[in-house]
Amino acid sequence: MIEKVLAIETSCDDTSVAIVDKTGHVISLVSASQDLAHEPYGGIVPEIASRNHSVQLLPLIDQAFIKAQLKWEDVQGLAVTNRPGLVGALIVGLVTAKSLSQAKGVPFIGVNHLEGHLLAPFLKDNDYAPPQDFQYPYIALAVSGGHTSIYRIKKFGHYEVLGSTKDDAVGEAFDKFAKMVGLGFPGGVRVDQWAKKGNPKSFEFPRSMINDDTLNMSFSGLKSAAARTVQELGPEKVQEHLADLCASFQEAIVDVLLSKLDFALKKYQLKRMIVTGGVSANSRLREKAFQLAEQKKYQVVIPPIRYCTDNAAMIGYVGIQRMNLGEFSDLTLPPFPQALSSDFKVLP
Ligand code: KG4
Ligand code: ZN
């Protein structure tokens, strides 16, 4: 039985290392954000992400052990994200995990980053634990810079994609909108902050596909509508109405996401839901998800922000469970830009 693993996450622009035990207890989690390195370019530059991972990863591994007050002898495995993500960024984590696996004589496993997000609500530490009665099955809304999907999670390893965005991911929509109104990168969190001071009813933005009978979504119409409004207003008025624009744009996204989540819960007759991925840090999405849960008597779990955004703890929790079921990777394991079709069962 593997009791503890060291986990590595480098799929995008956060370098993250964690030590996690088999119950999902996070013994240490250390991450380095690269926001400052990418900010001048207004978005993530893959080469810069890879280079920063190479510089930051080994010192973070040392820190993870120091923070946990543990040594290499205390971990029996390594978990590393090998899909989906930026290939150059994934390679840094994967090559490091393979080398350390050889050097330290511990097995390793490649983990699907999205599975990490889907199981993040089970993570716990000295300051946080999910509700004791939270368990499978549940509906998950996974919203990040690259992904926007709704899943039915029946049990560990059984994830059905119920619906996805047909175009932009919501994090991407937030980031593009932020750029349009001059808020720069990283956009989502800045839109969230400005929206707090604005009126969400000031501007009428479309809520595409909100009433269709699928769990698919679309955000490109919203993005185009916002671009038209920004152009019509002109730079001065945009600044004058910035808070209202942010609040109205954010509200349109949140309305669509929660309406789909509600629809999924009804359709599959479930009462439990989670919201996960970087965009689940959004304060309005959190607030309205809890309101929905209260109204409809659902149970909602939204992990603390350190487990919502990209982090190695969720990778470790997936990896340790899979290893304890006898699954391991070998040195031929490649990185993949996309998740594998075997990762998810896609419903017709
Ligand atoms: O999961 P994540 O950390 O990385 C991946 O994309 O896998 O998600 C990052 C995304 C970015 O698009 C960022 O703008 C968005 O999450 N985000 C937010 C907030 N915090 C992060 N979007 C809206 N409101 C926020 N508070
Ligand atoms: Zn992610």
Side-chain angles (χ1 to χ4, degrees):
M1 178 69 86
I2 295 186
E3 297 293 329
K4 295 184 195 77
V5 287
L6 179 84
I8 296 174
E9 155 65 41
T10 64
S11 66
C12 193
D13 63 335
D14 290 301
T15 321
S16 181
V17 178
I19 298 177
V20 182
D21 78 10
K22 63 174 194 244
T23 69
H25 186 88
V26 183
I27 306 166
S28 66
L29 170 64
V30 285
S31 304
S33 154
Q34 300 184 7
D35 284 350
L36 286 177
H38 298 279
E39 189 175 9
Y41 305 94
I44 296 164
V45 183
E47 288 78 6
I48 293 179
S50 312
R51 212 175 312 138
N52 278 312
H53 288 314
S54 328
V55 173
Q56 291 165 341
L57 186 52
L58 289 177
L60 282 179
I61 293 175
D62 288 342
Q63 272 184 41
F65 278 113
I66 293 169
K67 214 171 159 193
Q69 299 185 305
L70 293 174
K71 297 194 172 60
W72 270 105
E73 297 76 66
D74 300 314
V75 298
Q76 299 84 40
L78 273 158
V80 59
T81 306
N82 82 311
R83 65 191 189 278
L86 302 169
V87 168
L90 288 166
I91 284 175
V92 179
L94 188 55
V95 167
T96 306
K98 286 178 180 175
S99 313
L100 289 170
S101 157
Q102 291 288 291
K104 305 291 180 187
V106 290
F108 86 99
I109 186 165
V111 170
N112 167 16
H113 176 89
L114 295 169
E115 185 176 11
H117 278 305
L118 296 181
L119 299 193
F122 290 110
L123 293 172
K124 47 188 179 279
D125 55 35
N126 294 339
D127 301 317
Y128 169 78
Q132 271 185 349
D133 59 345
F134 178 72
Q135 56 182 311
Y136 304 107
Y138 55 90
I139 296 289
L141 169 69
V143 274
S144 73
H147 305 276
T148 298
S149 298
I150 294 182
Y151 301 85
R152 175 163 58 155
I153 285 98
K154 281 194 176 160
K155 56 183 182 183
F156 178 74
H158 194 290
Y159 317 106
E160 288 168 327
V161 182
L162 305 176
S164 295
T165 177
K166 292 286 151 208
D167 36 62
D168 293 352
V170 277
E172 189 185 353
F174 267 112
D175 293 338
K176 286 181 179 162
F177 173 76
K179 222 172 174 174
M180 269 179 229
V181 295
L183 286 176
F185 174 89
V189 65
R190 294 179 186 174
V191 174
D192 186 353
Q193 279 156 5
W194 273 94
K196 287 186 181 137
K197 293 173 273 181
N199 175 359
K201 294 204 172 104
S202 318
F203 293 89
E204 264 302 314
F205 287 132
R207 282 133 171 92
S208 312
M209 296 177 81
I210 195 166
N211 288 324
D212 77 349
D213 61 352
T214 75
L215 287 159
N216 292 325
M217 294 157 270
S218 164
F219 299 97
S220 65
L222 169 64
K223 191 183 61 189
S224 311
R228 270 196 309 277
T229 305
V230 165
Q231 205 178 15
E232 279 162 21
L233 286 172
E236 251 171 54
K237 285 224 159 100
V238 164
Q239 289 319 303
E240 204 179 301
H241 297 286
L242 191 54
D244 288 341
L245 279 167
C246 288
S248 305
F249 181 85
Q250 176 178 273
E251 200 73 3
I253 289 189
V254 170
D255 281 353
V256 172
L257 294 176
L258 291 180
S259 152
K260 294 289 173 178
L261 200 45
D262 190 26
F263 181 45
L265 285 154
K266 261 190 242 143
K267 185 165 175 183
Y268 293 93
Q269 297 184 331
L270 289 172
K271 288 274 179 196
R272 274 187 296 270
M273 61 168 161
I274 66 152
V275 186
T276 182
V279 180
S280 61
N282 183 271
S283 59
R284 186 70 174 152
L285 179 58
R286 285 175 170 253
E287 184 188 338
K288 288 192 89 176
F290 284 110
Q291 277 173 12
L292 172 71
E294 208 177 297
Q295 268 168 23
K296 302 275 179 93
K297 305 273 170 278
Y298 297 144
Q299 182 183 39
V300 61
V301 177
I302 308 181
I305 290 175
R306 61 187 172 282
Y307 302 138
C308 282
T309 50
D310 286 353
N311 70 88
M314 64 185 192
I315 304 304
Y317 184 51
V318 170
I320 197 164
Q321 291 182 87
R322 288 195 171 268
M323 287 201 224
N324 279 333
L325 291 169
E327 201 181 309
F328 297 94
S329 299
D330 66 37
L331 293 177
T332 62
L333 182 78
F336 295 103
Q338 306 294 343
L340 303 176
S341 55
S342 55
D343 287 333
F344 302 109
K345 196 172 143 196
V346 183
L347 291 181

